[in-house]
Amino acid sequence: MALLALLPAAVASAQTKWTERKSGDIVFVANAGGQSLGYSSTSGVKILTVDGLAFKDLNKNGKLDKYEDWRLPVDVRAKDLASKMSVEQIAGLMLYSRHQPIPAAAGGPFAGTYGGKVFAESSAKASDLSDQQKQFLAKDNVRHVLVTSVQSPEIAAQWNNNAQAFVEGQGLGIPNNNSSDPRHGTVATAEYNAGAGGAISMWPGSLGFAATFDPEVVKNFGHIAAQEYRALGIATALSPQVDIATDPRWSRVSGTFGEDPQLAADMARAYIDGFQTSAAEKEIANGWGYNSVNAMVKHWPGGGAGEGGRDAHYAFGKYAVYPGNNFKQHLIPFTEGAFKLNGKTGTAAAVMPYYTISYNQDVKNHENVANNYNSYIINDLLRKKYKYDGVVCTDWLVTGDETALDSFLSGKSWGVEGLTIAQRHYKVLMAGVDQFGGNNEVAPVVEAYRIGVKEHGEAYMRARFEQSAVRLLRNIFRTGLFENPYLDPETSKQVVGKPEFMEAGYQAQLKSIVMLKNKANALPLQTGKTVYVPKKFTPAGRNFLGMETPEKLEYPVNIETVKKYFKVTDNPDEADYALVFIASPNSGGGYDGKDAKSGGNGYVPVSLQYGEYKATTARATSIAGGDPLEKFTNRTYKDKLSKAINITDLAMVTDTYAKMKGKPVIVSVNMNNPMVFGEFEKQASAIIVDFGVQGQASLDIMTGKAEPSALLPLQMPADMQTVEAQFEDVPHDLKCYMDEQGNKYDFGFGLNWKGVIKDGRVDKYVKGAVKP
């Protein structure tokens, strides 16, 4: 190797093969035939010239270390850097920050300050780092930050640059790997204009993608979303969620690709290929590059089998059960999809286990502990049997203390509640996990290291820490963040939500809408006619964080958009048609604190119908149960009652039907879960279902601007008795609802203008559906 010279850019000799330009404090360096670099002039980093090429001296030692040499393979660089890191630095790398809104909120669980003041009372810019961010980046060595809300793409880019400059000046100069939960959902009331951009492109929800039965739509989404993520400074997606929705009551069904393992596997593969693959000048090596976003596939080994449909974000839903002995099918979207990509990147960059205790599935150690803690689930299955060597990151708050059975923000240390916080961190590490979601403090990880040293010795624990460090560093190296983590805010503004991305998202929305019923060819509707749209009542309640929400009476669709298609009247007698926009029934999560306080066990049915439901056929004795805050193990809800929080949605249909006196009633359902259509189907002339679209897309289908082409990604139950009879872990095991026209609302059913859709998608996924 040629003699190294630490040269300021201004005095680089004529023999060098690089040039630079400045943009404020950021210096961009172009290497002829090599990687482009970016660094902050405020961080203390200088440029090393070696063989005429430029490299960043990240640790500021005046020489080129292997990890700083962009010519070397990623694993060589990652192992070199891991070997140089202190235990405290590796422990910080293992942390994944709590949710970070930009700017920080003034109150609530994600609050932050600027110079000790809330943002509105400070003189800070929205792109400045909060006091808390500076603390965990510097003191706790955090390098994985979960970004939530941002004011604009430009501010997101500026915040990214500020954060990267801050950490570049710390220690070994390891950049941030910022991440995001899914952020491409729709604003239902937003109007689509083909010529206008937006804050970010809007796409259907995951069930909507599944309803297209077309993996190419999902791959295209991933490709576009990755470009927008990178323009926001985000290099890791905490997605896709590929759990198969085998219990129709589960509150996270809407985030899945449906109940079929093969469809979910194909969608998972397409999604991750789209997100992770860079091409042409954006590729660095092996499909990775500057358009790549690491995909964290979740939730291993599948979270869709919660007993009674309850969810494991809460202690009342901590158990996943397998009465159909069908654990293995839940692995298919991972093993046949996420881990077998068509693209060069090969496999998902990261995996997140679910909160659940996969009850009685640990055939080696027979431990009923949460998946994050279970060595059989992680070490034996994921690591050894399926040879997965990427990052495994816990879900958020799994090492915290449980404070209540029904709190979203409570710790979720299911099955290990008796351990100390440090012992929980240690058990997670020994199970084969690399990273802790939602933990900003390095101290418990360092303490876990000390526990391991006492048990196994220093050499063993150092090797174990470096093993995780290498996995975590790989994802930062191969996305090019070590070379250039900086953004041009103006470019970010142009990329995020640009018109062609908005157009692609809108077309996908149209492809995701299912037509279930079209009696007497009620659809498409003639534009210019007069329509009646009933207002929707939403009772006061609480959101998933427990914050109070007020009651509302409002149009459930942007009425100004409706007026571009029809005349609108509040008098049904004047209307040619009625358009009724409702949401699928929501009866809550299956636990009632009032019932517990009055002497019951707290457990109530999760219902998929609007009207009151009594669980006369539910299990008398639950399969699983037990919690430190409970004095019993039987979580039965047999003979208890529940009804939908949004029961007034049913009245919107039935009342409108009566008011319209035989004139067509068109029902548009925004669906989060399967539902019992028997409560209102006969009152509807036509029914369309969406899984998260702009209301305008529904109107385009109703008026024939686009033809419906989507298919149901889930079965619709005939009644709640079939829901109680089905097994939580088994797909395709419901008796399906049959409407007055003789159509069965089964997996893969959908109508177009000609009738029941029977095409190659049906042949592939319905006829060949994976059965238990």
Side-chain angles (χ1 to χ4, degrees):
M1 182 177 287
L3 182 66
L4 307 184
L6 187 58
L7 294 177
V11 297
S13 75
Q15 297 176 340
T16 61
K17 303 173 186 176
W18 55 271
T19 57
E20 69 165 32
R21 66 178 175 86
K22 290 185 177 181
S23 177
D25 292 334
I26 310 303
V27 182
F28 295 103
V29 177
N31 276 299
Q35 292 300 314
S36 296
L37 313 178
Y39 68 97
S40 172
S41 60
T42 66
S43 69
V45 164
K46 297 291 191 294
I47 289 295
L48 293 166
T49 300
V50 180
D51 296 334
L53 298 170
F55 302 85
K56 292 159 69 175
D57 185 20
L58 290 166
N59 61 3
K60 309 170 189 69
N61 67 353
K63 65 177 184 178
L64 183 65
D65 295 281
K66 288 181 180 179
Y67 86 91
E68 297 165 337
D69 189 344
W70 44 259
R71 298 169 299 184
L72 296 176
V74 163
D75 270 21
V76 171
R77 300 178 70 188
K79 288 175 182 176
D80 177 62
L81 179 50
S83 72
K84 291 175 165 59
M85 296 175 72
S86 68
V87 168
E88 289 76 13
Q89 286 171 328
I90 295 177
L93 196 65
M94 290 175 166
L95 300 176
Y96 224 122
S97 85
R98 299 189 188 101
H99 299 64
Q100 300 296 311
I102 300 169
F110 311 127
T113 55
Y114 298 81
K117 299 179 180 179
V118 298
F119 177 72
E121 297 173 3
S122 73
S123 58
K125 297 177 182 176
S127 57
D128 286 348
L129 300 186
S130 70
D131 300 333
Q132 292 73 21
Q133 289 163 357
K134 291 176 182 176
Q135 165 85 3
F136 67 64
L137 291 173
K139 181 175 178 289
D140 295 287
N141 301 302
V142 171
R143 292 298 180 271
H144 293 80
V145 180
L146 174 54
V147 175
T148 55
S149 60
V150 295
Q151 281 191 358
S152 69
E154 305 101 288
I155 287 172
Q158 290 160 358
W159 179 90
N160 169 80
N161 290 354
N162 290 337
Q164 298 293 6
F166 184 82
V167 297
E168 194 173 71
Q170 307 283 328
L172 295 161
I174 299 171
N176 278 351
N177 182 355
N178 302 323
S179 72
S180 174
D181 280 311
R183 58 194 314 123
H184 281 83
T186 57
V187 178
T189 56
E191 184 176 356
Y192 171 70
N193 180 334
I200 197 166
S201 60
M202 291 191 281
W203 299 72
S206 294
L207 279 178
F209 281 130
T212 70
F213 279 63
D214 185 353
E216 284 302 311
V217 172
V218 180
K219 185 177 179 181
N220 187 43
F221 160 71
H223 175 65
I224 288 172
Q227 293 176 67
E228 293 184 307
Y229 272 35
R230 291 305 297 264
L232 294 169
I234 293 166
T236 292
L238 302 186
S239 58
Q241 183 192 337
V242 304
D243 317 74
I244 49 173
T246 48
D247 192 289
R249 298 165 290 188
W250 187 33
S251 63
R252 301 202 68 183
V253 165
S254 63
T256 73
F257 291 125
E259 67 182 291
D260 184 70
Q262 190 55 56
L263 178 61
D266 290 351
M267 292 297 181
R269 185 185 310 109
Y271 187 108
I272 298 167
D273 269 334
F275 263 94
Q276 291 190 172
T277 305
S278 291
E281 75 281 356
K282 294 291 185 179
E283 182 179 5
I284 297 171
N286 303 314
W288 291 101
Y290 291 103
N291 272 350
S292 296
V293 172
N294 299 293
M296 185 180 290
V297 62
K298 56 192 188 185
H299 303 89
W300 178 265
E307 185 163 18
R310 298 184 294 268
D311 180 61
H313 277 84
Y314 307 90
F316 62 70
K318 68 202 293 185
Y319 295 102
V321 295
Y322 300 87
N325 195 29
N326 200 42
F327 177 79
K328 289 182 179 178
Q329 271 198 15
H330 289 257
L331 306 183
I332 289 173
F334 298 91
T335 60
E336 302 304 312
F339 302 162
K340 289 186 178 178
L341 304 182
N342 292 330
K344 292 182 188 178
T345 64
T347 190
V351 171
M352 181 187 292
Y354 204 40
Y355 295 116
T356 46
I357 295 171
S358 295
Y359 192 67
N360 287 348
Q361 299 307 304
D362 180 350
V363 298
K364 182 180 180 182
N365 305 309
H366 306 289
E367 269 198 305
N368 277 315
V369 295
N371 297 312
N372 300 279
Y373 292 94
N374 195 300
S375 182
Y376 171 74
I377 296 290
I378 307 299
N379 274 328
D380 291 278
L381 279 185
L382 182 60
R383 297 291 193 197
K384 294 176 184 175
K385 183 172 182 179
Y386 295 108
K387 298 178 172 56
Y388 184 77
D389 192 38
V391 168
V392 177
C393 176
T394 74
D395 214 326
W396 265 230
L397 301 180
V398 303
T399 56
D401 289 329
E402 178 186 357
T403 57
L405 284 159
D406 55 354
S407 171
F408 184 86
L409 294 173
S410 176
K412 308 169 201 307
S413 49
W414 310 147
V416 296
E417 294 93 343
L419 299 182
T420 67
I421 289 177
Q423 288 169 338
R424 292 173 197 156
H425 282 78
Y426 178 63
K427 187 170 178 63
V428 165
L429 287 170
M430 292 301 100
V433 176
D434 304 298
Q435 197 167 30
F436 302 93
N439 290 17
N440 290 6
E441 293 82 23
V442 77
V445 187
V446 174
E447 193 175 341
Y449 180 86
R450 294 183 186 129
I451 294 172
V453 169
K454 288 180 181 177
E455 191 164 328
H456 297 287
E458 184 89 39
Y460 175 92
M461 279 309 291
R462 177 72 203 189
R464 173 68 191 86
F465 260 46
E466 287 193 26
Q467 180 186 45
S468 286
V470 169
R471 290 172 180 151
L472 290 159
L473 290 168
R474 275 187 200 133
N475 292 349
I476 308 178
F477 275 114
R478 58 195 180 186
T479 49
L481 292 171
F482 272 90
E483 276 57 73
N484 181 20
Y486 296 98
L487 301 168
D488 175 3
E490 276 303 310
T491 300
S492 294
K493 181 180 179 180
Q494 296 303 316
V495 168
V496 179
K498 66 181 179 180
E500 52 263 50
F501 291 175
M502 300 297 287
E503 166 72 12
Y506 191 74
Q507 291 303 317
Q509 291 180 49
L510 294 173
K511 291 179 181 178
S512 75
I513 297 172
V514 184
M515 183 164 68
L516 291 183
K517 184 178 182 181
N518 194 20
K519 185 178 180 180
N521 294 320
L523 296 181
L525 302 176
Q526 184 179 338
T527 58
K529 294 285 190 174
T530 302
V531 299
Y532 167 65
V533 182
K535 289 183 177 179
K536 179 186 177 77
F537 174 73
T538 304
R542 294 181 182 274
N543 65 16
F544 70 97
L545 291 174
M547 300 167 72
E548 292 186 0
T549 55
E551 69 173 45
K552 293 183 293 187
L553 179 65
E554 59 189 3
Y555 284 113
V557 64
N558 185 335
I559 204 68
E560 297 306 314
T561 304
V562 176
K563 289 177 181 177
K564 294 185 177 181
Y565 294 78
F566 306 104
K567 298 172 184 146
V568 177
T569 180
D570 289 331
N571 183 357
D573 291 334
E574 296 175 353
D576 299 300
Y577 325 116
L579 310 182
V580 186
F581 293 84
I582 62 175
S584 53
N586 172 16
S587 68
Y591 185 83
D592 183 354
K594 292 180 181 177
D595 177 76
K597 288 177 182 177
S598 64
N601 67 358
Y603 292 87
V604 294
V606 179
S607 178
L608 300 180
Q609 65 185 41
Y610 294 106
E612 190 170 78
Y613 163 64
K614 186 174 183 179
T616 55
T617 60
R619 294 186 187 108
T621 304
S622 63
I623 293 173
D627 185 88
L629 299 181
E630 293 176 332
K631 297 178 180 179
F632 53 86
T633 57
N634 186 5
R635 294 179 158 193
T636 183
Y637 53 85
K638 184 176 172 62
D639 294 327
K640 289 188 179 178
L641 301 171
S642 73
K643 63 181 177 182
I645 298 164
N646 60 333
I647 189 172
T648 52
D649 280 24
L650 176 61
M652 288 172 69
V653 180
T654 55
D655 291 353
T656 300
Y657 175 75
K659 291 174 181 176
M660 289 298 290
K661 302 171 184 175
K663 290 180 288 186
V665 175
I666 314 302
V667 178
S668 177
V669 184
N670 172 233
M671 183 175 286
N672 287 310
N673 288 81
M675 57 190 286
V676 178
F677 276 91
E679 292 181 290
F680 67 86
E681 175 264 321
K682 289 183 173 62
Q683 280 82 51
S685 304
I687 301 173
I688 63 172
V689 170
D690 74 80
F691 307 95
V693 299
Q694 293 165 258
Q696 187 174 349
S698 300
L699 292 167
D700 278 350
I701 292 288
M702 290 179 187
T703 57
K705 280 192 174 183
E707 182 171 13
S709 62
L711 309 169
L712 283 176
L714 303 156
Q715 293 182 313
M716 297 298 122
D719 49 42
M720 280 304 298
Q721 284 67 44
T722 188
V723 174
E724 297 291 358
Q726 59 90 40
F727 289 151
E728 284 93 336
D729 59 322
V730 177
H732 308 304
D733 65 341
L734 288 172
K735 176 185 176 184
C736 295
Y737 180 75
M738 185 173 291
D739 70 13
E740 64 178 344
Q741 294 182 288
N743 289 321
K744 186 186 289 187
Y745 294 178
D746 203 347
F747 171 77
F749 170 74
L751 301 172
N752 58 21
W753 302 140
K754 296 177 182 177
V756 178
I757 297 172
K758 295 179 180 178
D759 57 20
R761 298 172 301 163
V762 175
D763 292 340
K764 180 175 181 178
Y765 290 108
V766 180
K767 294 179 180 177
V770 178
K771 299 289 184 180

